[in-house]
Amino acid sequence: MAADLSVGFIGSGMMASALMSGLVAKSIVADPSAITCSDVWQPSLDKAKDNGFTATKSNEEVVRNSKDAIVIAVKPFVVADVCADIMKEASEAVVISIAAGVTLDFLQRKLPGRKVVRVMPNTPCLVGEAASGFSMGDLCSDGDRKVVETIFGSVGVAKEIKEVLLNAVTGLSGSGPAYVYQFIEALADGGVRSGLPRAVAVELAAQTVKGAAEMVLQTGTHPGQLKDNVTSPGGTTIAGVEALERGGLRAATISAVMAATRRSFQLGGASEEEIRQRCIAFVSADVKSLEA
């Protein structure tokens, strides 16, 4: 996409700042000043100004200055007020929300006649390695899809999925970095317990996780096969894998994703009955796909 994409951000916190920097770094936006951002917290605006962005306290100004996309990057409880500000200005820009739990239905009710998209990014966005899932609203075009893919592709990977699965994205990649940090910490602790200096253990653990992830992404080989490739009969690795299985790593990780997914449903206002019915629907869909 040409380096003249016109994008604005309502909310200028860490995630928005990372996206803005990514757009400039990838030359998707030619100049930082072409991005207008707003925030209620002055230090965020000061930081944005220091980085060359056009900063303002006016959400309406963001809308006026942003022709292609407006990103809502605020806490969920603020979204309704932000939508009211957006509706004060005529605009053809696609409105992209990264607020957790805020549904397309809510956005479409608060922004009637506007094109809306819901995105679930994650914090590795801050280092250009995000894993984002997004769902398009009813009025969006293929051009709007390209805008979303361009914005979020500037800081990692962006995959379009059905909205009902965005809660699962939250449970997996949205919350997933925390699970991986815990694993890195535990891996490093094992190294320290075995005699390595703490700094060396942390660096080796983090690089090991990074390298293993790249092996999965670059080779396309199933993680189980890659695990088997380094697990020699009677060797050190299978002894370690056995210990992980005894400790319940696999089951605990699956449970963590499911718990975070359920919590995402709850934060979105779903009742326990709705959550149960949706989970049944997922299982039924899986069974039907297997029977097809």
Side-chain angles (χ1 to χ4, degrees), residues 260-280:
T261 299
R262 170 176 286 275
R263 183 56 180 156
S264 182
F265 272 118
Q266 292 171 338
L267 291 174
S271 66
E272 287 302 310
E273 178 62 19
E274 288 173 325
I275 295 172
R276 188 181 71 84
Q277 289 298 327
R278 288 176 184 179
C279 289
I280 290 173

Side-chain angles (χ1 to χ4, degrees), residues 4-80:
D4 59 356
L5 195 66
S6 177
V7 186
F9 290 80
I10 298 178
S12 304
M14 289 192 299
M15 198 74 77
S17 296
L19 286 166
M20 290 189 283
S21 297
L23 290 171
V24 174
K26 295 292 180 67
S27 298
I28 295 165
V29 174
D31 188 271
S33 63
I35 296 177
T36 303
C37 61
S38 63
D39 206 282
V40 296
W41 199 46
Q42 189 59 47
S44 291
L45 295 179
D46 293 340
K47 181 179 179 181
K49 288 179 182 177
D50 290 342
N51 289 327
F53 303 111
T54 300
T56 176
K57 285 186 176 291
S58 170
N59 294 339
E60 292 92 330
E61 184 177 349
V62 173
V63 178
R64 289 193 297 270
N65 291 351
S66 309
K67 307 306 179 186
D68 296 307
I70 301 161
V71 180
I72 300 177
V74 299
K75 297 295 185 183
F77 67 88
V78 184
V79 172

Side-chain angles (χ1 to χ4, degrees), residues 106-168:
F106 179 90
L107 293 169
Q108 288 172 158
R109 284 188 286 107
K110 295 297 182 181
L111 296 166
R114 304 294 176 96
K115 301 174 293 185
V116 299
V117 178
R118 179 183 173 190
V119 182
M120 182 64 229
N122 64 3
T123 53
C125 168
L126 303 176
V127 292
E129 295 292 346
S132 304
F134 69 92
S135 297
M136 310 292 290
D138 296 336
L139 300 179
C140 291
S141 66
D142 287 340
D144 298 318
R145 178 177 291 105
K146 181 62 176 177
V147 167
V148 174
E149 291 173 340
T150 299
I151 293 172
F152 289 89
S154 73
V155 291
V157 174
K159 297 292 184 181
E160 182 177 5
I161 61 169
K162 294 179 180 179
E163 186 190 15
V164 71
L165 295 176
L166 275 183
N167 291 301

Side-chain angles (χ1 to χ4, degrees), residues 166-179:
L166 275 183
N167 291 301
V169 171
T170 301
L172 175 59
S173 57
S175 301
Y179 318 150

